[in-house]
Amino acid sequence: MLLRAIDKFFRHEASGGILLMLSAVAALIVANSALSVFYEDFLGAYFAVTLDGVGLKKPLILWINDGLMAIFFFLIGLELKREMMEGKLKNPADVVLPGMAAVGGMVMPALIFVALNWGLPSVTGWAIPAATDIAFALGILALMGSRAPASLKVFLLTLAILDDLGAIIIIALFYTAELKIDYLYLSLIPLGALIWLNLKGAHRMAPMILLGVVMWFFVLKSGVHATLAGVITAFCIPMKDKWGKSPLHSLEHALTPYVLYLIIPVFAFANAGVVLQGMTFADLFAPLPLGIALGLILGKQVGVFGVTFLMVKAGMARMPHGANWLHIYGVACLAGIGFTMSLFIGSLSFSDAAMMNQVRMGVLSGSAISAILGAAALWVASNKEAEDATEATGEAANA
């Protein structure tokens, strides 16, 4: 019976988001308990992979953020390629509304953050509230079940995918350390081999994954953030091999459970530990956490809902089928759940422990409020729609 319940949980669409939330809560508890010393020492412990003194030596937290997150971005790359080749991003007309909403949902949070942090060193974190956590946002929407229109999930999923694409571009352009061009040139060797295998329609994935790991190493050493190697490798995985099968589909299907139920929870546990000792309620209103929280809460609402409203009213796009404006507002709120992506960009923006603690505080508070507002709006919208349908049925019966 217990095994059946566990299996049912992991089959539910919201399971990834719930596990993510539990990991964040666990991190908060551990970071503020007697175990905090072990938590910090464990994440700060150095792990090395070297050959004759040459290789990588990094604290565990960076292996998680640079290594495991490269696998996360590899999966995002696979999803992006599939959607662009045969899914929701294939038809440009279907992308216009969620695409423009995604742009608005990235620009407005960044503007709010910059306005509150202008002239301060913390302004470098402007991209932190611009991101959306797909797993968390879709998990909240999934809890609504059939009460939310199916088109709403497609709208949110497309918006979040394009949001992630924007985050990838931002990381590539603005979060690159001092560039070492020789390593960047070396990364072209495995990239060339990957492109050749893709054009050849290769079936075996092991050589491609190995080449991706080599490219990841060179990109990491070059100063460009290594997670981008994951995305590039994903785009080199063939949609169809020489026998007509899809290595990309197989790899995406096999990798998704590990990313959703292992990698992302581990990342959340390692990065969400806000140290509350010595903090006051007033600390929430410091420019850095306030800029992040308001960016996620207000920026996403104004950006996503505002752009959607303007485009629909101007006749440039159509509302998702079966959705009303309260549904769209709920989705705009859910887009403010930054969590994984926001924490990740925060880790690229700041290395100082005190600054990162403020980042965690802003991301967690902004994401939590956005989740509550989004769930409440969708619940009210769904109930109102059900009541209207019941009334219409009653009137028809009386007539």
Side-chain angles (χ1 to χ4, degrees), residues 55-230:
L56 292 175
K57 184 181 180 182
K58 290 178 173 290
L60 191 59
I61 184 68
L62 290 184
W63 280 103
I64 292 169
N65 291 353
D66 292 341
L68 288 184
M69 287 304 282
I71 302 173
F72 168 72
F73 275 89
F74 176 67
L75 180 62
I76 286 179
L78 292 175
E79 291 173 348
L80 273 171
K81 182 174 180 178
R82 173 176 52 78
E83 295 292 352
M84 290 169 70
M85 298 292 288
E86 59 183 27
K88 300 170 187 68
L89 305 182
K90 184 179 181 181
N91 185 358
D94 295 334
V95 179
V96 173
L97 184 60
M100 291 306 295
V103 172
M106 296 188 81
V107 172
M108 285 306 300
L111 289 177
I112 288 174
F113 181 92
V114 169
L116 290 169
N117 288 269
W118 188 256
L120 300 173
S122 55
V123 76
T124 54
W126 60 270
I128 296 171
T132 295
D133 189 300
I134 294 181
F136 224 139
L138 287 176
I140 298 292
L141 184 59
L143 291 174
M144 297 296 110
S146 59
R147 289 189 297 270
S151 62
L152 213 57
K153 180 183 175 182
V154 174
F155 179 76
L156 178 58
L157 181 60
T158 308
L159 186 154
I161 288 171
L162 292 169
D163 193 291
D164 277 349
L165 179 59
I168 290 165
I169 294 169
I170 286 171
I171 291 168
L173 295 177
F174 300 102
Y175 290 94
T176 293
E178 185 181 346
L179 201 61
K180 296 178 182 175
I181 200 72
D182 50 343
Y183 280 107
L184 209 53
Y185 285 143
L186 284 171
S187 71
L188 295 177
I189 298 171
L191 176 59
L194 280 167
I195 292 171
W196 178 72
L197 287 171
N198 180 39
L199 294 174
K200 187 183 172 185
H203 175 72
R204 293 171 62 86
M205 288 297 98
M208 301 194 81
I209 299 299
L210 184 59
L211 286 167
V213 171
V214 173
M215 182 168 65
W216 171 85
F217 173 79
F218 287 140
V219 170
L220 179 66
K221 299 291 278 186
S222 75
V224 176
H225 202 271
T227 51
L228 298 175

Side-chain angles (χ1 to χ4, degrees), residues 322-338:
N324 57 44
W325 286 114
L326 195 52
H327 282 129
I328 299 298
Y329 174 73
V331 166
C333 291
L334 293 186
I337 305 174

Side-chain angles (χ1 to χ4, degrees), residues 356-377:
M356 266 309 296
N357 203 49
Q358 290 187 51
V359 168
R360 295 184 187 107
M361 185 166 50
V363 170
L364 292 178
S365 59
S367 296
I369 293 170
S370 294
I372 293 167
L373 289 175

